[in-house]
Amino acid sequence: MDKLISCWNVTGKCYFVVRTENEEEAIRQLADHAASAHQMTLTEEMKRKAREEARRKAA
Ligand SMILES: [Zn+2]
């Protein structure tokens, strides 16, 4: 049951996708990506979106 989160749906910056088995790990990896690729820090709102995204695609 992989968790998928796309950068696009969280930051709108690119189509990078993280895929892990763990929701918090997926969010952590997306945060790392946003920092290195876009010099962005995920806001609480973005993390909330990321969590929703992970849940929606988990089915
Ligand atoms: Zn990105």
Side-chain angles (χ1 to χ4, degrees):
M1 202 167 79
D2 285 353
K3 306 293 187 184
L4 294 175
I5 304 176
S6 66
C7 184
W8 181 256
N9 285 338
V10 176
T11 70
K13 294 284 189 184
C14 79
Y15 294 101
F16 177 84
V17 172
V18 293
R19 182 189 189 107
T20 73
E21 292 185 356
N22 176 282
E23 182 179 310
E24 289 306 316
E25 175 65 13
I27 290 167
R28 200 185 61 71
Q29 286 187 17
L30 185 70
D32 282 353
H33 161 78
S36 62
H38 309 305
Q39 290 76 51
M40 282 177 75
T41 302
L42 295 190
T43 63
E44 286 308 309
E45 173 65 13
M46 286 173 180
K47 288 180 187 172
R48 193 183 60 74
K49 276 190 193 167
R51 256 178 222 109
E52 281 179 6
E53 170 98 349
R55 284 181 191 146
R56 194 162 51 77
K57 293 205 172 148

